[in-house]
Amino acid sequence: MLTVEEALARVLARVPATATERVPLSAAYGRVLAERLVAGVDLPPWAGSAMDGFAVRSADVPGDLDVNETVAAGKVPTRAVVPGTASRIMTGAPVPDGADAVVMVEDTEMVGDRVRVRVGATSGMHIRPVGSEIAAGTPLLDVGAVLGFGAVGVLAALGRPSVLVRVRPRIGLLSTGDEVVEPGFPLGPGQIWSSNLHALAGLVHDAGAEPVYLGNVADDPVATAAAFRAALQSDLVVSTGGVSVGDFDHVKAVMDDLGGGEGAGVEFWRVAMKPGKPLAYGFIAGRPVFGLPGNPVSCMVNFLQFVRPVIRTMLGDPRPFLPVISATLDRPWSRRPGRAELVRVRLTAGADGGVPTATVVGVQGSAHLAAMAEAHGLLLVGAETTTVSGDVHVQVYDPRWGASSVAGYRWG
Ligand code: AMP
Ligand code: MG
């Protein structure tokens, strides 16, 4: 059986890259950049005032000065500041020729129609010089950068209307099982509502891809084959259930058939991890295909370990993995050794910004869906470990774990 690392290396060895597309800046947030960006212009593009006040010659102040005109933001000065004069100026307005400083309005008073500047000024005071923030030619972002709101703001400030990004891959989501019914339909005897497709759609969104709901297919080999064939329209296929050794588990056989025969589709189907041992992986018709287990927790944990990094790599993200943080386990946790384990834990922020505390949540069974919603991350337990305590590592899947209900400012 493969270890988690071996399985991950196998799936990441063959990842098709998605195409690129140009999107308007308004749609660029969160996307993965597919071009290297260099500042095309200076920011700011002209010298502007950083204050409401008066543009002056620093050599003239303090002193009383004639007022030339008022320069508002969006207007162009019509007169130069010559000795003995000043121009009233607003924040964000271009500094007139001749002026080398701006004094704040608070440091002035009007005496008749002249301005009395009460303070001295150094050359350049309260002026934003051309290119002082970003000079033309400065490298901004590399291919693979994930565009946050700061980066989008910078691109807009530099006048860029659009960017080249990776197309979001379409992820076909298919569930299997005679017992599985979509929420909204009544349950017959022995039936359950499908949770997997909905949880997976959230995981796909979170990974930066587009979910394609393909619904549920009965535990029938012909129907399963037809559903998989249709699913191969997507860039990557994820199915749930039917991948174990039960009498009605057809996914592996179907993957082999689609791959061209016995053993041709499924590259591996078991990983030494808990939860979620049965995971069928294959590369069929140029697409990664994952047969995830039906148990809801196994399904989600497997997605996070294998499918998410593949999607991020398809997108060209050079950092495709979830963050792993150090934490302190609040009380020792014991188990049977044998397989690496990913244990659902809640995180609590450490006092005074110290190491966070991890608490194992409720029931840990692979069918126990609620634990996944309650937890923020997965405690990483090595195959041979019997008791985990003290300093531990947690793979964080809920970035809101440290969010607070109180403002809690701690100024440094
Ligand atoms: P399987 O992997 O098909 O053997 O299913 C394992 C367990 O997961 C069974 O208890 C199934 O009823 C359950 N299961 C399978 N598919 C789903 C689904 N889409 N939503 C929730 N539970 C499921
Ligand atoms: Mg099943």
Side-chain angles (χ1 to χ4, degrees):
M1 216 185 304
L2 299 179
T3 65
V4 173
E5 287 88 343
E6 288 165 348
L8 196 52
R10 292 272 286 271
V11 303
L12 289 176
R14 240 187 329 171
V15 176
T18 65
T20 60
E21 64 180 338
R22 185 159 286 282
V23 297
L25 213 49
S26 56
Y29 175 78
R31 303 296 296 270
V32 182
L33 198 59
E35 61 180 332
R36 186 172 171 272
L37 292 179
V38 173
V41 294
D42 286 315
L43 185 68
W46 34 262
S49 176
M51 289 288 171
D52 295 324
F54 288 85
V56 299
R57 290 157 30 93
S58 54
D60 285 355
V61 294
D64 290 1
L65 303 167
D66 290 332
V67 179
N68 298 312
E69 61 176 344
T70 298
V71 189
K75 294 287 183 296
V76 180
T78 62
R79 295 173 62 186
V81 172
V82 295
T85 71
S87 291
R88 186 184 265 283
I89 193 165
M90 305 299 143
T91 304
V95 175
D97 287 345
D100 69 341
V102 170
V103 290
M104 290 164 34
V105 70
E106 292 88 337
D107 293 328
T108 67
E109 65 196 273
M110 294 306 292
V111 179
D113 51 11
R114 304 190 85 208
V115 61
R116 173 164 299 160
V117 178
R118 294 189 298 259
V119 295
T122 51
S123 187
M125 190 173 83
H126 301 320
I127 293 177
R128 299 179 186 136
V130 174
S132 55
E133 211 181 308
I134 301 173
T138 304
L140 291 178
L141 295 163
D142 258 323
V143 170
V146 179
L147 296 171
F149 55 81
V152 172
V154 167
L155 297 178
L158 291 166
R160 236 171 216 286
S162 66
V163 280
L164 196 68
V165 297
R166 289 295 189 90
V167 171
R168 283 197 181 97
R170 289 158 48 85
I171 313 299
L173 301 175
L174 185 66
S175 69
T176 72
D178 285 348
E179 78 283 27
V180 175
V181 175
E182 275 300 297
F185 292 90
L187 283 189
Q191 292 187 321
I192 58 162
W193 280 302
S194 174
S195 62
N196 288 348
L197 283 197
H198 300 278
L200 284 173
L203 285 159
V204 166
H205 275 299
D206 197 48
E210 210 182 288
V212 181
Y213 281 91
L214 298 169
N216 186 66
V217 61
D219 288 319
D220 168 82
V222 176
T224 305
F228 267 80
R229 220 167 274 124
L232 285 169
Q233 302 282 326
S234 303
D235 301 306
L236 180 152
V237 179
V238 177
S239 73
T240 79
V243 81
S244 198
V245 292
D247 292 349
F248 305 98
D249 291 340
H250 303 297
V251 167
K252 295 200 297 292
V254 163
M255 282 171 66
D256 271 344
D257 281 351
L258 291 174
E262 179 80 35
V266 178
E267 281 195 23
F268 63 82
W269 70 277
R270 285 193 304 171
V271 179
M273 69 182 250
K274 191 180 173 198
K277 191 161 44 174
L279 157 78
Y281 165 75
F283 198 83
I284 300 170
R287 293 157 174 74
V289 178
F290 290 88
L292 303 185
N295 268 317
V297 173
S298 306
C299 169
M300 288 185 262
V301 171
N302 269 290
F303 183 98
L304 289 172
Q305 303 319 304
F306 303 109
V307 188
R308 188 179 200 280
V310 168
I311 291 174
R312 294 307 301 174
T313 304
M314 285 171 100
L315 282 164
D317 184 350
R319 293 187 294 168
F321 304 112
L322 287 172
V324 174
I325 64 165
S326 296
T328 306
L329 195 58
D330 62 349
R331 64 182 71 96
W333 190 76
S334 297
R335 62 170 217 132
R336 267 213 332 261
R339 284 187 275 163
E341 188 160 357
L342 300 108
V343 181
R344 273 68 70 210
V345 292
R346 274 192 81 74
L347 292 167
T348 315
D352 286 323
V355 178
T357 300
T359 305
V360 174
V361 300
V363 191
Q364 286 288 321
S366 59
H368 202 79
L369 194 50
M372 201 73 197
E374 203 185 321
H376 300 119
L378 300 167
L379 171 67
L380 302 175
V381 185
E384 302 314 321
T385 304
T386 51
T387 299
V388 210
S389 62
D391 299 340
V392 295
H393 288 108
V394 176
Q395 183 191 66
V396 182
Y397 61 76
D398 182 354
R400 281 183 48 79
W401 74 268
S404 176
S405 57
V406 292
Y409 295 110
R410 290 155 193 247
W411 312 114

